[in-house]
Amino acid sequence: MTRARVQYVCQTCGHPSAKWLGRCPGCGEWNTFVEESVPATPSRREAAAPAVGPIPMTEVPEASEPRTGTGMEELDRVLGGGLVPGSLVLIGGEPGIGKSTLLTQVGSTLAAAGQTVLYVSGEESPAQVKLRGQRMGVAASSLLLFAETNLEAIAQVCDTTHPAVLIVDSIQTVYKPDLPSAPGSVGQVRECTADLLRLAKSTGTTVLLVGHVTKEGQIAGPRVLEHIVDTVLYFEGDRHHAYRILRATKNRFGSTNEIGVFEMRSDGLHEVANPSAVFLSHRAAQAAPGAAVACPLEGSRPLLVEIQALVTPTVFGMPRRTVSGVDYNRLVLLLAVLEQRAGCRLSGQDVYVSVAGGVTVDDPAADLAIAAAVVSSLRNRPVDEATVAVGEVSLAGEIRAVPQLDRRVAEAARLGFRRVVVPRQGAAERGREDTTAVPAESIGDALARLIP
């Protein structure tokens, strides 16, 4: 068997090179060469026949997926029911958002339940991790702390301790000694993650990785990193706000539509069982112009959020459109519909739209609430404070049906809203005892019902 070696490979076309090149001679792209470890080539006899041949799908034994609860229902919801043994989970987020705090709580809860948890810290000493645990009031003898960045040393400790859960904080600090590049480089991150994946699948250990993000909001390192792991979770939120949202962008063992809501306090993260009440807790006692309540659907959970808008005359130059928490292109589309179909003159107005609480809304069912908030600010007349707006606005100005309308109406009724303006289709059977479903067919019809 030949010895393992290192070569440079273009990440665009796969062209190999013995040394680093600025420009790829195969595809012409710049700065695409990354070092890769070439494994030892087996002899012809060793690679003669595979260990297991192909078998029909009907004869493949069914594999059950026993899950382990993390002790946090919001996290279990996003994971699809809990941690799967042998899975590789990547958690990304901005610095200071609470990734280490979340994993410390999860590790302490699992260790208190009798499982062996190995917490590998490449950025903090064991004393610092213990200090954070004491601040959160969590401690367990089965939670093992190990400050190390050498992947081979981490693998040796796993062989001796046999942890049920391995936490690596963070993957950008871990390195393989046989690669000449520095920790955090593309090659190091990819190879270390691949080795941890093999460790998870071969031993049944659940591996939780912390990943840093770039200024664009993507996980630092190669894009293939997200293809290697089983689950990718993003921790979202503003460090200046107390609420955090955990969202799954990839999950081989569950849905990617669920979210978990947490509140950051001095003693750690606390689950938010009723996010709608939290996001509406700071509403003004008296309705003000430029605010409307929407009910987007995040996975299977309806959320009530407040859409705020401010419309002011343009003083100089082109009108400005600024958004926070909603899609910019969607806002521009809605403004064009209001201009053409509802007679609202917005071509000479600056428009600012925001979602209260730092939430990001991408459900088309929030279109009607965004339009109502903009028109309310334009006319300086408040939206009815006891009314929720639900509906998608088409280019023709129609209010189109949205999925799971009955769950949205039920959520509005649970929080005491008396009226819900909904699309005409299916509005008759969506009403409840204390809440009236008001049908609307067009954008002008809906605005007349929302802004008295």
Side-chain angles (χ1 to χ4, degrees):
M1 181 177 291
T2 61
R3 295 179 57 188
R5 58 189 178 88
V6 175
Q7 70 175 2
Y8 293 86
V9 179
C10 175
Q11 301 301 295
T12 302
C13 67
H15 182 84
S17 174
K19 62 180 182 179
W20 185 87
L21 299 175
R23 185 179 183 182
C24 175
C27 61
E29 295 292 333
W30 288 89
N31 299 323
T32 57
F33 276 92
V34 173
E35 69 276 9
E36 293 186 0
S37 177
V38 180
T41 305
S43 63
R44 188 182 302 271
R45 180 177 298 178
E46 293 174 344
V52 179
I55 58 177
M57 180 181 290
T58 56
E59 298 181 9
V60 177
E62 296 184 2
S64 59
E65 297 178 0
R67 296 178 181 267
T68 302
T70 61
M72 306 180 75
E73 295 183 1
E74 294 294 309
L75 178 58
D76 290 341
R77 178 201 300 272
V78 180
L79 290 172
L83 295 172
V84 177
S87 61
L88 186 61
V89 181
L90 176 64
I91 302 178
E94 296 181 356
I97 203 69
K99 303 182 297 296
S100 300
T101 300
L102 175 66
L103 292 183
T104 302
Q105 291 184 231
V106 170
S108 300
T109 303
L110 295 175
Q115 299 193 42
T116 302
V117 180
L118 177 60
Y119 191 107
V120 178
S121 176
E123 302 174 350
E124 298 175 299
S125 65
Q128 291 175 305
V129 178
K130 180 180 180 180
L131 184 63
R132 183 171 62 246
Q134 290 177 341
R135 186 181 71 250
M136 297 184 296
V138 294
S141 58
S142 298
L143 178 60
L144 307 178
L145 304 181
F146 186 45
E148 183 58 64
T149 57
N150 190 332
L151 185 61
E152 293 182 357
I154 296 173
Q156 291 177 2
V157 172
C158 290
D159 292 338
T160 57
T161 58
H162 304 288
V165 178
L166 171 64
I167 300 174
V168 179
D169 186 6
S170 64
I171 187 59
Q172 278 80 13
T173 62
V174 180
Y175 71 95
K176 291 185 64 175
D178 54 350
L179 286 179
S181 57
S185 62
V186 174
Q188 286 282 7
V189 171
R190 181 181 58 247
E191 294 299 326
C192 291
T193 305
D195 284 1
L196 289 173
L197 177 65
R198 286 189 286 269
L199 184 147
K201 301 304 180 185
S202 60
T203 62
T205 300
T206 302
V207 180
L208 304 178
L209 305 178
V210 172
H212 298 309
V213 298
T214 62
K215 61 182 181 180
E216 290 82 13
Q218 304 295 329
I219 293 181
R223 194 64 180 176
V224 72
L225 176 63
E226 300 185 23
H227 295 281
I228 296 176
V229 301
D230 296 313
T231 304
V232 180
L233 306 180
Y234 275 93
F235 219 22
E236 303 174 356
D238 190 349
R239 287 183 295 173
H240 304 291
H241 290 82
Y243 300 105
R244 307 285 189 267
I245 295 179
L246 186 65
R247 191 186 306 270
T249 59
K250 175 188 176 182
N251 192 356
R252 288 175 178 162
F253 308 109
S255 172
T256 58
N257 295 323
E258 300 293 342
I259 67 168
V261 183
F262 300 87
E263 182 182 2
M264 177 64 77
R265 301 179 186 175
S266 59
D267 57 346
L269 291 167
H270 291 256
E271 301 175 75
V272 177
N274 190 2
S276 297
V278 170
F279 293 144
L280 296 179
S281 60
H282 300 293
R283 292 192 73 200
Q286 186 177 1
V293 179
C295 188
L297 203 66
E298 293 289 349
S300 60
R301 168 184 286 182
L303 296 177
L304 291 181
V305 297
E306 185 181 48
I307 308 293
Q308 299 175 350
L310 177 63
V311 179
T312 60
T314 302
V315 178
F316 177 79
M318 296 291 293
R320 185 174 183 179
R321 279 82 172 94
T322 304
V323 298
S324 175
V326 298
D327 183 59
Y328 173 81
N329 294 324
R330 194 69 184 175
L331 173 64
V332 174
L333 183 147
L334 292 174
L335 296 181
V337 173
L338 291 174
E339 181 97 18
Q340 185 70 20
R341 308 297 181 186
C344 300
R345 300 305 177 188
L346 296 167
S347 57
Q349 305 285 336
D350 293 338
V351 180
Y352 306 88
V353 176
S354 175
V355 182
V359 188
T360 300
V361 175
D362 55 4
D363 190 351
D367 287 354
L368 185 55
I370 296 175
V374 171
V375 176
S376 172
S377 178
L378 176 66
R379 299 177 180 175
N380 198 27
R381 297 170 61 184
V383 177
D384 184 16
E385 58 182 5
T387 304
V388 177
V390 177
E392 179 182 359
V393 179
S394 69
L395 291 177
E398 302 171 344
I399 306 300
R400 301 225 170 153
V402 296
Q404 302 190 34
L405 185 58
D406 52 348
R407 301 192 62 181
R408 304 174 195 261
V409 176
E411 181 72 7
R414 189 172 66 87
L415 291 183
F417 288 90
R418 298 189 300 271
R419 298 169 69 242
V420 182
V421 176
V422 298
R424 181 173 297 277
Q425 180 181 359
E429 61 270 19
R430 303 301 181 185
R432 301 174 66 88
E433 294 181 0
D434 301 330
T435 303
T436 303
V438 181
E441 188 171 359
S442 64
I443 183 65
D445 190 19
L447 292 176
R449 287 162 171 74
L450 287 167
I451 306 176

